[in-house]
Structure formats: structure tokens, C-alpha cells
Amino acid sequence: MNITLSVIHIAAPLLLVTLGGLISEYAGRMAMFLECMINLGAFLCYATTLWTGKLLLGIMLSVMLCTLLVIVIEGIASRYKANMFLISLAMNMFFAALASFLSATIFGTRGVLYHDVFRFDARIVRPVTTVACYALAAAQIVMLKSSTLGLTLRITGSDSDVLQARGISAARYRTLSWIFAAVNASLAGCVLAARLSSYVPGMAGGRGWTALAAVYLGKKHPVFVALAVLVFSAAEYASSTVQNIAIFKNMPSSLLLALPYLVALLLIVAVPQKKEG
């Protein structure tokens, strides 16, 4: 497969997750739960697809359940004025534990899950999910740039006083930002599971954290964020292919698989950030 096309396929679900992180960052409430939300979305997609027999319905149910869970937790935390940063981190751990618990309870294992019902033709699923991810990502970027909703989300974190002066609840838009993050991350998990035709524990593979790094490196600008996603996706592609090159065969596979994170670390160190005035 063409290298460029492979990178484009890899970047598709990561771009969705990153936009979820970007929107939550705009609203001043970074979604630290992205990593394990991907895993939970993937598990629920597998489970609900087996239950319904339909992948599309399984994806819809997975996204709905994940989003509802975030809304409930966020609502309780807001009511009791909890520290949302800590709540977000706690949610990440909770989602990881929940996926593991449900897997053991329903399927009797915390390992890899596969079934004939959840088996798809990669030649169809891969391009379809790629197009769907980019279409949703493009729609969200247009929304952020060209709609009242997008403008309001963009100033919720930086200029919430302006919203309050106009009688607009900034809290509602912060909640909405987490809804976007939950939808995007859980949908990315569904995409990853469908592409593998199985559920693999920890299948997020660091994409949630990579998404947050892309938001940071892209300086919260959608175009630069998308470029950062492509860079990380190229590094992921390289990490999975260099193992077949003779000079790299003696290197530890764990080191090669860590290449995307090394790239992220180097870029965070090397790229200058805007100083606060």
C-alpha cells in the first residue's frame, strides 16, 4: 500500500480524538479521559455489535452509552463543584476499569475478544471508516470556524466573562465540549475495533495522549493540529514498518513501537511555545 495512503488511514481516528481534545481545550476543560474512552468505546462497540448483529447499530449504541456516561459523571461533579481536572483523570481510570470489568463479566476474559459476527472485510472497512472520520472532522472544523456554536465554544475558556455578560451559560458549553470529546474518542475506538475485527485491551495505544500532545503542538489552531496528527501518524507507520528493515531487526521491538511517543517528546521540547504576556 502506498505510504501516504497508509499514513492517511492511520491519521483518521487520531484526528477525531484530537479534535475532541481541541474543543475541550477551547472550553477551558481539557478532556484527560480520551485514552481510556477510546478503549471503552471499542469494547462497547464489540459487545453491542454481537448483541444486535449490526456494526452500524453497535457503533451508535457504543457512542451513545459512552457519551451518556460522561454527561452523568460531569453533571454530578458540577453539582458538587468538584475539581474538573481531577475528575477528568479519575474518569480515565474509571473507564479503563469499567472496560476490563465488563469484559470479564460478560465474556469471561480480560484478553482479546473476537467472534464471527464481529469479522469484517478490511478492504471495505478501512477506506469507509477513513472517509467517515475525515468527513466528521471536516464538519467539526467548519463548525468551529464558521458557526455561532463554534465561536461560543472557542471563547468559553478564554473569555467566559463575555458569555456571562450576554446571559450565556459558560458551564453548558464546557459540558458540551466534553460531549464532543466523548463522541469523538468513543467513535475512534469503534473504528479501531472494526478495523481489527476484534477488541484488544489497551487498543487505544496511547492515541488519547498523542491527541493531547497534538493540541499542544498545534497551538490550538485546527490546521496546525491536523499537521501534528499527520506527523504522529507518520511516526506510527514508521514504527510498524522499520522492524522489517535488516538494520533494525536487532533493536528491541518495544523501542521501535515507542517511536511515536519519542517524536512527540522531541517536538514538545523543540517547538517554541507562545509565552504568556
Side-chain angles (χ1 to χ4, degrees), residues 3 9 11 14 23 45 57 66 82 127 145 149 156-157 177 204 216 269 271:
I3 294 177
H9 283 315
L14 178 58
I23 292 171
C45 178
L57 188 53
C66 288
K145 288 291 187 181
L149 172 60
T156 297
S177 74
Y216 176 79
V269 172
V271 174

Side-chain angles (χ1 to χ4, degrees), residues 55 84 111 117 144 149 173 187:
L55 175 60
M84 286 302 181
V117 174
L144 286 171
L149 172 60
Y173 284 90
L187 185 55

